[in-house]
């Protein structure tokens, strides 16, 4: 046997030793990581409004391996993404060997439109950001709005795009004053009617709706307490002329 053959054999032997050593180390690391030392005991979730923390956690923890802090972190941080309706993305932080923090970024939805049994969720610009069969309680339903075309992640095609400014203004006011509004109705002239149970609030077509909607915080609870059914006409309601007509039905 030549000196070169002996050298090649020695090199191959060293390579095999290195490979075996690396495999043993990896197995040791895997075994150690699977031990209870790295058991995921606290999955902290923040930023979710439309879901509970338990619902988000169930979307991440699918297998027994997801109960391990290291495997969980490596899996979702570098290799796998999670697709959750109404969620844009998430950030993940490794806190300690038993705790991981996930911050959820939900889609900015202002209103929704029902079409063919599904809800089209719109952002402030009228772009369809999500389509779902599920109706979220806190998102007002817009009805009466005629549109020509609808595509996910594209702006809803309507005749007058200024209607989205009205939807945004009304939706933000409803959220600010925590009003129980079931839907926002637009007629052919883009006049607005709000529905709250059996009560219709006729707002008409205004430049600003702040005064009308703000004062509903006092009017609506009283109307519901009296179990009124009918139309509350606030078309002429202004800061200086607080005229309200209620037509009982």
């Amino acid at each position: 046997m030549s000196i070169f053959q002996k050298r090649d054999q020695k090199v191959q032997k060293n390579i095999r030793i290195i490979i075996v050593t690396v495999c043993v180390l990896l197995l040791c690391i895997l075994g150690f990581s699977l031990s209870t030392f790295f058991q995921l005991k606290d999955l902290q979730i923040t930023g979710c409004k439309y879901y509970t923390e338990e619902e988000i956690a169930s979307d991440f923890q699918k297998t027994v391996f997801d109960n391990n802090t290291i495997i969980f972190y490596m899996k979702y941080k570098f290799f796998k993404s999670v697709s959750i309706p109404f969620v844009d993305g998430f950030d993940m932080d490794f806190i300690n060997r038993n705790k991981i923090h996930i911050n959820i970024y939900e889609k900015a939805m202002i209103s929704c439109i029902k079409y063919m049994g599904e809800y089209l969720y719109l952002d402030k610009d009228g772009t369809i950001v999500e389509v779902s069969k599920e109706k979220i309680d806190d998102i007002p339903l817009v009805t009466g709005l005629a549109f020509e075309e609808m595509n996910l992640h594209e702006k809803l095609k309507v005749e007058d795009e200024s209607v989205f400014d009205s939807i945004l203004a009304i939706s933000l006011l409803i959220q600010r004053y925590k009003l129980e509004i079931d839907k926002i109705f637009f007629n052919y002239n883009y006049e607005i009617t709000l529905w709250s149970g059996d009560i219709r609030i006729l707002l008409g077509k205004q430049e600003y709706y702040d005064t009308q909607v703000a004062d509903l915080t006092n009017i609506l609870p009283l109307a519901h307490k009296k179990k009124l059914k009918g139309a509350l006409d606030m078309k002429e309601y202004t800061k200086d002329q607080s005229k309200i007509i209620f037509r009982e039905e």
Side-chain angles (χ1 to χ4, degrees):
M1 184 180 294
S2 67
I3 187 171
F4 296 106
Q5 289 177 323
K6 288 181 179 180
R7 187 175 65 182
D8 290 341
Q9 287 181 347
K10 187 175 181 180
V11 170
Q12 291 175 1
K13 184 179 180 181
N14 290 336
I15 291 175
R16 285 197 295 270
I17 292 172
I18 293 172
I19 292 174
V20 171
T21 303
V22 170
C23 289
V24 170
L25 286 172
L26 288 175
L27 287 173
C28 290
I29 293 172
L30 179 60
F32 185 65
S33 64
L34 289 173
S35 68
T36 56
F37 187 79
F38 283 100
Q39 185 179 0
L40 181 55
K41 297 178 181 179
D42 186 5
L43 182 59
Q44 185 183 31
I45 297 170
T46 57
C48 49
K49 176 183 176 183
Y50 306 127
Y51 295 98
T52 64
E53 293 183 16
E54 290 76 15
E55 287 173 330
I56 295 295
S58 66
D59 285 318
F60 281 91
Q61 292 181 299
K62 297 288 189 181
T63 69
V64 65
F65 297 104
D66 292 326
N67 294 324
N68 179 271
T69 313
I70 292 179
I71 294 177
F72 184 97
Y73 182 78
M74 297 293 290
K75 175 182 177 180
Y76 292 110
K77 185 72 174 181
F78 302 107
F79 299 105
K80 185 176 176 62
S81 182
V82 178
S83 179
I84 305 173
F86 313 119
V87 173
D88 250 343
F90 62 90
D91 285 334
M92 184 177 295
D93 296 306
F94 189 98
I95 306 301
N96 57 48
R97 61 186 177 88
N98 299 125
K99 182 178 180 179
I100 286 178
H101 171 249
I102 299 176
N103 188 56
I104 299 295
Y105 297 100
E106 292 181 324
K107 294 178 179 178
M109 299 178 291
I110 295 297
S111 60
C112 68
I113 294 173
K114 192 173 184 179
Y115 178 72
M116 300 289 287
E118 293 186 316
Y119 295 95
L120 316 179
Y121 288 89
L122 311 177
D123 67 5
K124 63 182 180 64
D125 300 314
T127 299
I128 302 172
V129 297
E130 187 68 65
V131 178
S132 175
K133 293 185 179 296
E134 179 185 353
K135 171 66 174 67
I136 298 177
D137 293 336
D138 293 338
I139 303 296
L141 176 67
V142 175
T143 62
L145 191 62
F147 54 91
E148 303 166 1
E149 186 179 345
M150 50 79 68
N151 293 295
L152 186 61
H153 305 310
E154 293 183 10
K155 199 166 186 176
L156 195 68
K157 303 294 183 183
V158 295
E159 183 178 345
D160 185 1
E161 291 193 355
S162 66
V163 70
F164 295 125
D165 294 329
S166 298
I167 293 174
L168 174 61
I170 290 293
S171 300
L172 292 178
L173 287 169
I174 290 171
Q175 291 177 12
R176 181 193 302 173
Y177 295 109
K178 299 179 180 179
L179 297 174
E180 295 182 5
I181 301 298
D182 303 318
K183 61 183 178 181
I184 304 169
F185 171 75
F186 286 86
N187 67 6
Y188 68 95
N189 198 34
Y190 293 104
E191 293 180 324
I192 294 177
T193 299
L194 303 181
W195 286 78
S196 178
D198 294 320
I199 299 174
R200 292 180 291 121
I201 304 105
L202 312 180
L203 299 182
K205 190 175 183 180
Q206 315 287 340
E207 185 176 0
Y208 303 104
Y209 299 91
D210 301 61
T211 301
Q212 294 164 300
V213 177
D215 286 350
L216 281 175
T217 57
N218 298 319
I219 299 170
L220 268 184
L222 184 61
H224 284 306
K225 186 177 181 180
K226 292 184 177 182
K227 298 181 180 180
L228 297 178
K229 297 180 180 180
L232 189 65
D233 194 341
M234 299 182 73
K235 291 181 181 179
E236 305 298 327
Y237 191 89
T238 63
K239 187 176 181 180
D240 301 319
Q241 180 64 41
S242 56
K243 183 180 180 181
I244 301 176
I245 300 172
F246 185 81
R247 292 190 294 270
E248 193 169 359
E249 298 173 357

